[in-house]
Amino acid sequence: MAAASTPQSFLLQHPLYPSLKTLSYIPSKQHLRPRPRLSTVSCTAVHPAPASVSVTKDQGRIFNFAAGPATLPESVILKAQSELYNYHGSGMSIMEMSHRGKEFDAVIKNAESDLRRLLAVPDDYAVLFLQGGATTQFAAVPLNLCAPDDAADYIVTGSWGDKAFKEAQKFCKPNLIWSGKSDKYTKIPPFEGLEQNPNAKYLHICANETIHGVEFKNYPTPSNKDAIMVADMSSNFCSKPVDVSKFGVIYAGAQKNVGPSGVTIVIVRKDLIGNAQPITPVMLDYKIHADSASLYNTPPCFTIYICGLVFADLLEQGGLVEVEKKNAKKAGILYDAIDGSDGFYVCPVEKSVRSLMNVPFTLEKTDLEKKFIEEAAKEGMIQLKGHRSVGGVRASIYNAMPLAGVEKLVAFMKDFQARHL
Amino acid sequence: MAAASTPQSFLLQHPLYPSLKTLSYIPSKQHLRPRPRLSTVSCTAVHPAPASVSVTKDQGRIFNFAAGPATLPESVILKAQSELYNYHGSGMSIMEMSHRGKEFDAVIKNAESDLRRLLAVPDDYAVLFLQGGATTQFAAVPLNLCAPDDAADYIVTGSWGDKAFKEAQKFCKPNLIWSGKSDKYTKIPPFEGLEQNPNAKYLHICANETIHGVEFKNYPTPSNKDAIMVADMSSNFCSKPVDVSKFGVIYAGAQKNVGPSGVTIVIVRKDLIGNAQPITPVMLDYKIHADSASLYNTPPCFTIYICGLVFADLLEQGGLVEVEKKNAKKAGILYDAIDGSDGFYVCPVEKSVRSLMNVPFTLEKTDLEKKFIEEAAKEGMIQLKGHRSVGGVRASIYNAMPLAGVEKLVAFMKDFQARHL
């Protein structure tokens, strides 16, 4: 059957990842072959003395400052690659596995368990792995927590909070109790002055505004004792410790700090589950997913698997206390570079609420911004363009951005400034 | 910084996939390193003469008869593995890329273009890459096509169609015009006898019932000229040619024939877009996604990328005419084995509507079913257990199941029968 093709060698070996196998492979007829045959391969690896090597795009990784999907830990990428063909000797890729099989059952349970450890999620909270991004949760939150005539309070500190507020108008009576729009979303209000609605079912915030770089450093208390806090933590999820017990619902798209795009994590207090409006699509009903441990229908298995690898990596780093220290250091040197540039670079965000994750800035000479972004890309630092709605420059420095990436960016900024004074 | 660790070699090479690079790698400190260093590696590959090798789970792939997520083309897994670390020299994994960057833009456009070629999708249809599975579409279809008081007709030939019908009750007035439940979902009705509602906005079918193995071989015509056909094609999508112009909406979860779980493909006639009910969550509104080419929010990028690889593979095989021939051959030998077993194996589905994708059968001696499934698994044929709601055995033989897998199953069935007469 395979007479027309010549077997070719396929070598995948790594000392840390013994599941990488040596395989032979027949090009173009491969879908006709039931399985690979073994080849014998001998290898000799000669390591150069460790040295600072100038890396080009052809040789290795670049520094990716994208706002999401975003850079992932290199160790996670390598592990995923090593396991992709034959997951733990199962004879299948993780992408091919039944979501009800024992391998994926262990994957999703471990991912949930590690996430619970990372955030010290109390037992009276459900952890759900869903689809549709934070944008789906903009609808799911009011559909699950409100009747159509119920009030809910929204503090809007950026574009994402604004989208959440607008979507809620379809499903409840949301009140915009504070908006930073007139200040171009550079501030967070003092909490004592907020005029909360005493009947609001919840108080909603976006904990970190990805586009504007505004981050809550602490949280307001809903003034009605029955009201609950709801937070979109998409872009600072697992970047620092959070007291989950202060929230009724936390939700986050994974594609910033904890995985590829395609999975949304919802952490919801269990007593809030089970009251969805009759018009709630089944896929937006928290009860459906909580009752079936996120397996009501087929979940995004591979994406959850990668999140699990990231959670394990964060635990190995020492958990979120250590992760926050690293993030604070990275953000610190970047903001210092901006503030120490004598106005060449400007970050418009009020200092006390600057994001550790997304650092937006402009150049005093705005006509240089395009050149700045292009030259940085040539140096292996990409995706530095600000969101299309605000322009300027934005460096997203999530958990997986190495300190060396930020140091390189800061060095480039100083050099660029020196060349354009 | 890396003084505490010793570099180790990481070798990934394949003649077909030159993007696989030779890398060095420092264990456990890797998240601190900005990028890998080069190593020099020499390799010699010695190919054995092609031979029929008995493959164990430790050596290679097994035959995975899961109903979804399901087996993928081996060539696709290998290509994905080869490109995972550094996609096309970009210095990033495809999982890390901005969905608005040039690399992913090419990925999603190529995926759409190849899918349009495969199914000859007319220009007046939008192709959307969404999230949430077919279950989300059970709500999206009536939300987009109906006002709350509009009628819609449902033919229910299995559990999935039944779920679609029940979900629609939240959003319109669906009529159950035929149900196969009393026959345990083993039939499809003659079309001429259907009592369609003249005011129905659409006629809904599930083109292939994954659990029951019942597949439409042709399609009824909606009796009202304004009505449209809507089909859930999750489990036979891209398994054979389909005349898209006969449908208003076709939707399919990818995780059977075209990719991993986590993306849902919707093909919708453009004139049907733009009339969503006011209570439609933004993520369920076809107009939002059609207007932004599936990039309204962050799509499941990696999953779409894999679908693109599968589409390219299907085109390379000669398109869906050729794919259908292979599927018919595989299903033919399996049904022949069942029907030729003198009643040892029984497929309850009416012969004219038996699925080419999901082949359910029982053993006359039902107490042997558990043993059958266990012994098959030991022989490297897994996930043969019928759906938990119906029991028995089910072999899902999607596009990517090799003929050799079905041949092996048939040989096993004959041997098992001989041992248990």
Side-chain angles (χ1 to χ4, degrees):
Chain A
M1 153 178 111
S5 300
T6 307
Q8 301 205 20
S9 71
F10 183 10
L11 189 85
L12 286 174
Q13 283 191 329
H14 188 281
L16 291 187
Y17 303 121
S19 69
L20 283 174
K21 293 296 174 196
T22 304
L23 305 169
S24 76
Y25 178 67
I26 298 179
S28 86
K29 295 280 185 187
Q30 60 274 23
H31 54 275
L32 300 177
R33 295 182 60 240
R35 62 191 77 95
R37 282 188 299 275
L38 290 179
S39 290
T40 307
V41 178
S42 69
C43 279
T44 315
V46 182
H47 301 294
S52 175
V53 177
S54 172
V55 170
T56 71
K57 282 175 63 172
D58 289 335
Q59 291 171 337
R61 281 170 75 74
I62 55 174
F63 291 119
N64 169 18
F65 291 92
T71 192
L72 289 167
E74 190 181 1
S75 59
V76 166
I77 304 283
L78 290 169
K79 189 168 174 66
Q81 186 177 42
S82 75
E83 296 181 339
L84 199 74
Y85 178 77
N86 186 347
Y87 179 77
H88 291 196
S90 65
M92 296 176 279
S93 172
I94 189 91
M95 293 191 280
E96 302 173 294
M97 287 180 180
S98 169
H99 55 301
R100 304 197 190 277
K102 66 180 189 299
E103 292 91 353
F104 185 73
D105 187 64
V107 164
I108 192 168
K109 283 186 175 149
N110 286 341
E112 178 178 337
S113 162
D114 282 354
L115 178 58
R116 284 182 176 276
R117 277 178 65 199
L118 275 172
L119 282 169
V121 178
D123 288 343
D124 59 334
Y125 283 71
V127 173
L128 309 177
F129 294 95
L130 307 180
Q131 294 184 65
T135 305
T136 298
Q137 296 308 310
F138 297 166
V141 164
L143 280 167
N144 280 274
L145 303 186
C146 293
D149 288 331
D150 283 341
D153 287 346
Y154 280 72
I155 298 172
V156 171
T157 55
S159 299
W160 291 106
D162 188 52
K163 287 190 178 192
F165 167 68
K166 285 177 175 150
E167 181 77 347
Q169 293 172 6
K170 296 177 186 168
F171 309 111
C172 70
K173 307 290 183 212
N175 306 304
L176 181 61
I177 65 168
W178 191 87
S179 169
K181 190 171 186 182
S182 60
D183 289 312
K184 294 186 178 174
Y185 296 129
T186 54
K187 293 179 181 170
I188 284 176
F191 300 149
E192 61 273 17
L194 292 171
E195 292 195 16
Q196 295 189 49
N197 183 326
N199 297 316
K201 296 293 280 188
Y202 60 85
L203 174 60
H204 184 282
I205 63 167
C206 176
N208 183 72
E209 284 285 354
T210 322
I211 294 172
H212 306 283
V214 176
E215 183 173 18
F216 281 80
K217 304 300 177 180
N218 47 44
Y219 305 102
T221 306
S223 61
N224 181 318
K225 74 174 170 49
D226 294 331
I228 57 168
M229 274 291 288
V230 175
D232 174 1
M233 294 195 182
S234 293
S235 55
N236 67 352
F237 190 64
C238 288
S239 69
K240 61 185 180 184
V242 166
D243 183 351
V244 173
S245 72
K246 291 202 181 307
F247 296 84
V249 182
I250 291 170
Y251 61 91
Q255 71 275 10
K256 317 290 186 177
N257 275 307
V258 299
S261 57
V263 68
T264 313
I265 293 158
V266 175
I267 302 175
V268 51
R269 219 174 64 207
K270 289 178 180 171
D271 65 303
L272 300 173
I273 295 172
N275 304 304
Q277 292 183 29
I279 56 159
T280 307
V282 67
M283 287 298 287
L284 274 66
D285 185 342
Y286 294 153
K287 181 169 169 52
I288 294 286
H289 299 291
D291 286 352
S292 51
S294 302
L295 294 174
Y296 172 72
N297 71 339
T298 316
C301 299
F302 181 81
T303 313
I304 292 170
Y305 154 74
I306 298 289
C307 290
L309 296 184
V310 173
F311 297 148
D313 177 76
L314 295 175
L315 285 170
E316 201 184 316
Q317 289 185 47
L320 299 187
V321 170
E322 295 305 312
V323 168
E324 183 181 26
K325 284 181 195 164
K326 293 177 191 175
N327 287 330
K329 181 170 183 182
K330 288 184 290 178
I333 64 171
L334 185 48
Y335 284 118
D336 283 350
I338 294 167
D339 294 339
S341 72
D342 290 325
F344 188 84
Y345 303 106
V346 179
C347 173
V349 180
E350 195 174 272
K351 285 190 179 181
S352 64
V353 296
R354 285 178 172 177
S355 170
L356 298 190
M357 301 281 100
N358 310 98
V359 180
F361 58 95
T362 54
L363 273 64
E364 186 184 18
K365 302 170 185 169
T366 51
D367 55 326
L368 285 176
E369 284 170 359
K370 186 162 177 281
K371 193 177 181 201
F372 177 93
I373 292 161
E374 286 172 356
E375 286 192 12
K378 284 181 190 156
E379 301 275 330
M381 295 170 286
I382 66 155
Q383 293 289 341
L384 281 162
K385 196 172 174 184
H387 189 270
R388 61 198 184 286
S389 65
V390 295
V393 180
R394 175 177 52 172
S396 293
I397 51 173
Y398 298 118
N399 288 349
M401 171 58 65
L403 175 62
V406 179
E407 288 172 339
K408 183 169 176 172
L409 175 60
V410 165
F412 170 78
M413 287 167 69
K414 289 179 178 168
D415 178 67
F416 187 89
Q417 181 175 356
R419 288 186 283 112
H420 295 90
L421 277 179
Chain B
M1 154 178 108
S5 299
T6 306
Q8 302 206 19
S9 71
F10 183 11
L11 190 84
L12 285 175
Q13 285 191 327
H14 188 281
L16 291 186
Y17 304 121
S19 70
L20 283 175
K21 294 295 174 196
T22 304
L23 305 169
S24 76
Y25 177 68
I26 297 180
S28 84
K29 295 279 185 188
Q30 59 273 24
H31 54 274
L32 300 178
R33 295 181 60 239
R35 63 191 78 92
R37 284 187 298 275
L38 291 180
S39 291
T40 307
V41 178
S42 68
C43 278
T44 316
V46 182
H47 302 294
S52 173
V53 177
S54 171
V55 171
T56 71
K57 283 175 62 173
D58 290 335
Q59 290 172 336
R61 282 169 74 74
I62 56 175
F63 292 118
N64 169 16
F65 291 91
T71 193
L72 289 166
E74 191 180 359
S75 59
V76 166
I77 304 283
L78 290 169
K79 188 168 174 67
Q81 185 176 41
S82 75
E83 296 181 339
L84 199 73
Y85 179 78
N86 186 346
Y87 179 77
H88 291 196
S90 65
M92 295 177 280
S93 174
I94 189 91
M95 293 190 281
E96 302 173 294
M97 287 181 180
S98 170
H99 55 299
R100 304 198 190 278
K102 66 181 189 299
E103 293 92 352
F104 184 73
D105 186 64
V107 164
I108 192 168
K109 282 185 175 150
N110 286 341
E112 178 178 337
S113 161
D114 282 354
L115 178 58
R116 284 183 177 276
R117 277 178 65 200
L118 274 172
L119 282 169
V121 178
D123 288 343
D124 59 335
Y125 283 70
V127 172
L128 309 177
F129 294 95
L130 307 181
Q131 294 183 64
T135 305
T136 298
Q137 296 308 310
F138 297 166
V141 164
L143 279 167
N144 280 275
L145 302 187
C146 293
D149 289 331
D150 282 341
D153 287 346
Y154 280 72
I155 298 173
V156 170
T157 55
S159 299
W160 291 105
D162 188 52
K163 286 190 178 191
F165 167 67
K166 285 176 176 151
E167 181 77 346
Q169 293 172 6
K170 296 176 186 169
F171 310 111
C172 70
K173 307 289 184 213
N175 306 305
L176 181 61
I177 64 168
W178 191 87
S179 168
K181 191 171 186 183
S182 60
D183 289 312
K184 295 186 177 173
Y185 296 129
T186 54
K187 294 179 181 169
I188 284 177
F191 301 150
E192 60 274 17
L194 293 170
E195 292 195 16
Q196 295 189 48
N197 184 326
N199 298 315
K201 295 293 280 189
Y202 60 84
L203 173 60
H204 183 281
I205 63 167
C206 176
N208 183 72
E209 284 284 354
T210 322
I211 294 173
H212 307 284
V214 176
E215 182 174 19
F216 281 80
K217 303 300 176 180
N218 47 44
Y219 306 101
T221 307
S223 61
N224 182 316
K225 74 176 170 51
D226 294 331
I228 57 168
M229 273 291 288
V230 176
D232 174 1
M233 293 194 182
S234 292
S235 54
N236 66 352
F237 189 64
C238 287
S239 69
K240 60 185 180 183
V242 166
D243 182 352
V244 173
S245 72
K246 291 204 181 304
F247 296 84
V249 182
I250 291 170
Y251 62 91
Q255 71 274 10
K256 317 290 185 178
N257 275 307
V258 300
S261 58
V263 68
T264 313
I265 294 158
V266 175
I267 302 174
V268 51
R269 218 174 65 206
K270 289 178 180 170
D271 66 304
L272 300 173
I273 295 173
N275 304 304
Q277 293 182 29
I279 56 159
T280 307
V282 66
M283 287 298 287
L284 274 66
D285 186 342
Y286 294 153
K287 181 170 169 51
I288 294 285
H289 299 290
D291 285 353
S292 51
S294 301
L295 294 174
Y296 172 73
N297 72 338
T298 317
C301 299
F302 181 80
T303 313
I304 292 169
Y305 154 73
I306 298 287
C307 290
L309 296 184
V310 173
F311 297 149
D313 177 76
L314 295 176
L315 285 170
E316 201 184 316
Q317 289 185 46
L320 299 187
V321 170
E322 295 305 312
V323 167
E324 183 181 27
K325 284 181 196 166
K326 293 177 191 173
N327 286 330
K329 180 170 183 183
K330 288 184 289 177
I333 64 170
L334 184 47
Y335 285 118
D336 283 350
I338 293 167
D339 293 339
S341 71
D342 290 325
F344 189 84
Y345 304 106
V346 178
C347 173
V349 180
E350 195 174 272
K351 285 190 179 181
S352 64
V353 296
R354 285 177 172 177
S355 170
L356 297 190
M357 300 282 100
N358 311 97
V359 180
F361 58 95
T362 54
L363 272 64
E364 187 184 19
K365 303 169 184 168
T366 51
D367 55 325
L368 285 175
E369 283 170 359
K370 186 162 178 280
K371 193 177 180 200
F372 177 94
I373 292 161
E374 286 171 356
E375 286 192 12
K378 284 181 190 156
E379 300 274 329
M381 295 171 285
I382 66 155
Q383 293 288 344
L384 281 162
K385 196 172 173 184
H387 189 269
R388 61 198 184 286
S389 64
V390 295
V393 180
R394 174 178 52 173
S396 293
I397 51 174
Y398 298 118
N399 289 349
M401 171 56 65
L403 175 61
V406 180
E407 288 172 339
K408 182 169 177 174
L409 175 60
V410 166
F412 170 78
M413 288 166 69
K414 289 179 178 169
D415 178 66
F416 187 88
Q417 181 175 356
R419 289 186 281 113
H420 295 89
L421 278 178

